[in-house]
Amino acid sequence: MSKNEVETLARELLSAFEKDQMVPVPPSARPGFDLNTAYEVEAALKRFREAGGHRAVGRKVGYANKAMWRVLKLETLVWAHMYDDTVHHSDSNSATLTLAHRRSLKIEPEIVFGLKQPIPAGRLDASAALESTEWLAMGFEIIDCPFPEWKFQPSDFVASFGLHAALVIGERVPVRPDFIALVDELARFKVRMSKDGEFVEEGSGRNSLKNPALCLAELSAAILQRFPAEPLRAGEIVSSGTLTAGHPTDSGDLWTADVEGLSLPSLTLRLN
């Protein structure tokens, strides 16, 4: 795709996001579109959103599962930016969210990291990721798919804001200097998802690239490989991939993620 075609597609996807419209034909079904083009579209979306007064505050991860990489012929995970009007902080373990845009919503529990410094290049281990982390928290990622029947490719994910509608971040817990035990805890901990008081699904840290901290390290390396001048930076927020399946949700739902085996408060979210 030419530069003009990339910008035209980015404006189409941005308009669909802002007007709550579906995109009947995913970009991956169009001539000349691939994952490289998808990141060009994602970069254009970032420029457009920043020109509209919205600041990029972090990145969200997609396909944090190596089994899916083989199926979809991916070399690593994928990502998209998150913005100051879509990321919401809660100082307690309970939050309420009113969404401005919605088409077909799902909710996912994720570990969220706040960075204090870049992750050293060439370090693909959980310890390096945690050394660069200021805090972590339980979070709810709300995703919103513009494509019919939730059918899309990784390139469509990247070019459509990573399906990101909102991220609600629970109480932030500082990462202590003696974090060695945390490496193992992040791999082993459990999260139990409940809706309106009824159990829905149990997930684990292993579902995010076997360890959310490893997912963070993998994201850093993948960004450096594709965009060496735009690494993860101090202050960025990273949502590290879902710990369960995504579950359909809508106004009035009350969700709780109960955490076991990790020193993080549980998180409750009501959607308005």
Side-chain angles (χ1 to χ4, degrees):
M1 281 188 172
S2 68
K3 181 178 178 181
N4 285 342
E5 289 172 323
V6 165
E7 294 204 348
T8 298
L9 177 55
R11 292 189 187 280
E12 176 191 339
L13 295 169
L14 179 60
S15 177
F17 171 78
E18 294 176 337
K19 297 177 181 178
D20 303 337
Q21 294 174 337
M22 300 297 288
V23 179
V25 181
S28 60
R30 307 179 193 190
F33 185 86
D34 58 14
L35 189 58
N36 292 329
T37 309
Y39 279 109
E40 293 178 25
V41 172
E42 204 274 339
L45 286 170
K46 181 173 179 283
R47 292 195 300 272
F48 296 157
R49 292 231 74 206
E50 289 177 338
H54 299 293
R55 181 172 55 92
V57 297
R59 331 260 182 139
K60 66 152 294 182
V61 165
Y63 298 96
N65 183 323
K66 286 191 176 181
M68 293 297 294
W69 298 359
R70 291 189 289 272
V71 173
L72 296 168
K73 298 181 180 179
L74 288 171
E75 295 180 356
T76 185
L77 44 71
V78 296
W79 73 89
H81 282 88
M82 305 184 292
Y83 298 87
D84 56 2
D85 61 335
T86 61
V87 174
H88 309 271
H89 295 268
S90 174
D91 293 329
S92 68
N93 61 355
S94 181
T96 299
L97 176 66
T98 301
L99 283 176
H101 306 290
R102 61 181 69 201
R103 287 162 293 194
S104 177
L105 302 182
K106 291 185 180 182
I107 188 169
E108 301 174 338
E110 308 202 1
I111 294 295
V112 183
F113 296 94
L115 296 185
K116 64 182 179 183
Q117 63 192 37
I119 299 170
R123 293 287 301 277
L124 268 178
D125 58 277
S127 293
L130 290 175
E131 284 174 6
S132 299
T133 299
E134 181 178 4
W135 55 263
L136 54 83
M138 194 68 225
F140 279 125
E141 170 82 14
I142 310 298
I143 55 176
D144 187 9
C145 185
F147 308 118
E149 300 179 5
W150 279 82
K151 293 182 179 179
F152 57 88
Q153 295 298 312
S155 55
D156 300 317
F157 173 98
V158 170
S160 300
F161 297 100
L163 310 187
H164 173 72
L167 174 67
V168 177
I169 302 171
E171 185 178 339
R172 290 171 287 180
V173 174
V175 174
R176 302 185 307 272
D178 56 337
F179 60 77
I180 297 302
L182 182 58
V183 174
D184 290 333
E185 290 171 359
L186 279 167
R188 295 196 307 258
F189 85 96
K190 305 292 186 182
V191 59
R192 291 174 57 86
M193 282 280 281
S194 300
K195 177 184 176 183
D196 300 327
E198 298 291 329
F199 172 75
V200 175
E201 184 184 357
E202 181 177 276
S204 167
R206 295 189 182 279
N207 293 337
S208 175
L209 214 61
K210 296 188 177 179
N211 186 320
L214 281 175
C215 187
L216 175 59
E218 182 74 26
L219 171 66
S220 176
I223 291 172
L224 280 171
Q225 183 174 5
R226 188 174 285 276
F227 298 110
E230 300 178 28
L232 288 173
R233 292 184 168 90
E236 283 206 58
I237 294 165
V238 173
S239 190
S240 62
T242 187
L243 304 168
T244 69
H247 294 281
T249 189
D250 211 335
S251 298
D253 291 346
L254 179 67
W255 290 92
T256 299
D258 288 310
V259 180
E260 177 186 329
L262 185 64
S263 297
L264 282 183
S266 298
L267 180 61
T268 296
L269 175 65
R270 181 176 292 280
L271 285 178
N272 281 342

